[in-house]
Amino acid sequence: MGTSITTWENVSAYFTFADSPTMLVLFSIGVAAIVVGLVGSIMKHEKEAFKNHK
Amino acid sequence: MATETTLESLQTALDSQQAVFDMHAAMNVEVFYWWCTAIMLMIHAGFLAYEMGASRSKNALAAGVKNILALAVIIPTFYLFGWWIYLSFPAGLIPTSVAGALPWSTSMGPDVTDMGSGIFWAAFALFGATTGSILSGAVIERIRVSAFLILAVLLGSVVWILAGAWGWHPDGWMLTKYGYHDVGASGVVHAIAGFFTLGVLINLGPRVGKYINGVAQQIKAHNLPMTLIGLMMIIFGFFGFLGGCIIFNVDTTGWTTIYGTPTNLSAFAFNTLMGFAGGVIGCYIATRDPFWTMSGGLVGIISVAAGLDLYDPGLAFIIAICMSFVAVGTAKFLEKMGVDDAVGAVGVHGITGFLAVILVGVFAGGTPNVGGNPDITLYGQTLCAIVIAVLGFVPGYLVSLLLKKLGMLRVPASVEDLGLDEVEILAHPYPETVPASIAKS
């Protein structure tokens, strides 16, 4: 389950699990969301940390 | 029974040998850039040590975490859009259609028939991370990590690579219209990062205690030896960085610059080392200060990087010495003007990189390019250096101004007093150390 590779003959680019344009775009959106989420979580942490040390 | 040799069988054997040779040639290219990228990571290890050492002990871990996170966010954002910017914007601000560099294209993932895309993407991603580290050092001890990461992504995955598309792409307009020459990225990495940093520093303001009654105070690094070792690690990493700036051709062409002109690693070796030595000597004479003496190595290499393929080693040495005085003078001038650049990044990277680009026009003007591109000229180098400085400064200044207006740029003064490690990191760099004040009593 998950792989798109059924043979190594004539393989070039391969995307196990995500071998469809929709999935690849969704993964890209996921990567972007995680980076944005990281910055958001740091902002939240900073706000709380600064509040606790006023 | 003997096998009959025919022209057909000889051709088949030759084709087979050629296929083996081609495969090994492609693998050699991959291996070369793989190790360049690995060595480039030493730049980040160096910046990590350098920044932590340059901070006061109350901020040492915060400086380190900020630097590590910069690397971690620039890599995925460079994957998402940085590489696409490089391939799509050589003509200016209007993108050409390059679907191949979008993150969901087949060239942006494992492909057993493509031995180039991933390895070049990796090298360029780490060039971008270097720009983030240049910014990181200058803003230590008072910037919010969240604001820094926004700025680092802007610089490392957008701004520098736009300059890269203009000045480092075979179709970049700076090359095709003005014969721009910057083989070691003095302009497209160092100058742009330095001027971006200047824009941020103006809005960020100095650290609490840096100025008393308008007079600049020295805020001492808590671990100068670690800073010096970090700087030497950056110098080591430079060899990967500069190796990544040369093109490994698998045909009879041999090594070329990124502009397609002939060169080799020997030329790079002569001038990198002579520049390093000149920079160290120049900064030592100018300051007698250990931090600046070691920073001189960076100044020296950056000052000759744009023309690594063209200079005589003696000339590179002299350029590096002279540029050291300029870098130190820039740092002093900025300090006097109220700009608190904790590590001298604007002088070391910004002004040095800017002038390094112009100096190629002075010392190598008239050198021909290939492929119908114009010759190198002083006018072209100067114009492009100005474009790069503006391209770096404006977004750095405007976005940091916006963050400042939103109250998102800087930590509160009370937090700065306590130290960022105590407030944000919840860990101590030296937990078993007895503070000097307690030890005395």
Side-chain angles (χ1 to χ4, degrees), chain B residues 237-430:
Chain B
F238 250 107
F239 282 81
F241 181 103
L242 295 172
C245 296
I246 196 167
I247 303 297
F248 185 137
N249 298 287
V250 295
D251 55 19
T252 55
T253 313
W255 300 103
T256 59
T257 67
I258 201 154
Y259 306 113
T261 49
T263 189
N264 52 42
L265 285 172
S266 286
F268 277 38
F270 274 128
N271 288 325
T272 303
L273 288 176
M274 289 296 272
F276 165 76
V280 168
I281 291 170
C283 278
Y284 177 74
I285 294 170
T287 65
R288 310 283 178 191
D289 173 76
F291 174 81
W292 271 103
T293 300
M294 195 60 243
S295 292
L298 287 181
V299 174
I301 294 176
I302 296 165
S303 68
V304 299
L308 274 185
D309 57 324
L310 300 174
Y311 293 148
D312 172 80
L315 175 63
F317 185 75
I318 293 166
I319 287 173
I321 289 180
C322 295
M323 285 302 301
S324 300
F325 286 88
V326 175
V328 170
T330 300
K332 286 181 179 169
F333 172 76
L334 289 176
E335 189 177 55
K336 200 177 281 185
M337 297 299 292
V339 176
D340 179 13
D341 179 353
V343 295
V346 177
V348 170
H349 298 274
I351 296 295
T352 302
F354 175 82
L355 292 176
V357 168
I358 296 173
L359 288 177
V360 173
V362 173
F363 295 113
T367 305
N369 269 301
V370 295
N373 293 317
D375 294 352
I376 298 168
T377 62
L378 177 57
Y379 170 73
Q381 293 295 112
T382 305
L383 179 72
C384 293
I386 292 168
V387 168
I388 285 170
V390 172
L391 179 64
F393 180 82
V394 171
Y397 180 82
L398 291 179
V399 175
S400 61
L401 179 64
L402 178 66
L403 290 168
K404 183 182 178 182
K405 295 282 182 198
L406 295 171
M408 294 166 62
L409 184 62
R410 188 170 173 137
V411 302
S414 58
V415 172
E416 206 178 324
D417 272 341
L418 275 169
L420 302 180
D421 289 2
E422 177 70 30
V423 177
E424 274 195 81
I425 304 296
L426 310 178
H428 299 96
Y430 311 106

Side-chain angles (χ1 to χ4, degrees), chain A residues 8 11-15 21 24-25 27-29 31-32 35 38-39 42-43 45-47 49-50 53-54, chain B residues 69 73 76-77 80 103-106 110-113 144-146 149-150 408 411-412 415 418 422-424:
Chain A
W8 286 104
V11 167
S12 53
Y14 55 89
F15 299 90
L24 293 172
V25 170
F27 276 172
S28 300
I29 292 169
V31 172
V35 174
L38 168 73
V39 175
I42 292 171
M43 282 178 179
H45 170 66
E46 285 172 336
K47 195 176 170 186
F50 297 163
H53 285 82
K54 260 189 179 173
Chain B
L69 285 174
V73 296
T77 52
L80 289 172
W104 46 82
S105 75
T106 53
D111 181 344
V112 292
T113 61
R144 290 189 187 215
V145 176
S146 54
L149 292 180
I150 292 168
M408 294 166 62
V411 302
V415 172
L418 275 169
E422 177 70 30
V423 177
E424 274 195 81

Side-chain angles (χ1 to χ4, degrees), chain B residues 155-227:
Chain B
L155 173 59
S157 292
V158 179
V159 173
W160 98 266
I161 195 61
L162 187 58
W166 293 354
W168 242 28
H169 189 285
D171 300 323
W173 68 266
M174 287 186 183
L175 172 65
T176 56
K177 288 190 178 168
Y178 297 101
Y180 180 68
H181 196 86
D182 180 18
V183 295
S186 298
V188 300
V189 168
H190 297 284
I192 202 149
F195 279 90
F196 186 99
T197 300
L198 178 60
V200 174
L201 286 172
I202 289 169
N203 289 313
L204 182 63
R207 288 166 288 180
V208 169
K210 175 65 186 175
Y211 293 92
I212 298 176
N213 298 326
V215 179
Q217 309 295 309
Q218 188 186 10
I219 296 180
K220 289 181 179 168
H222 94 280
N223 192 335
L224 199 50
M226 183 157 74
T227 298

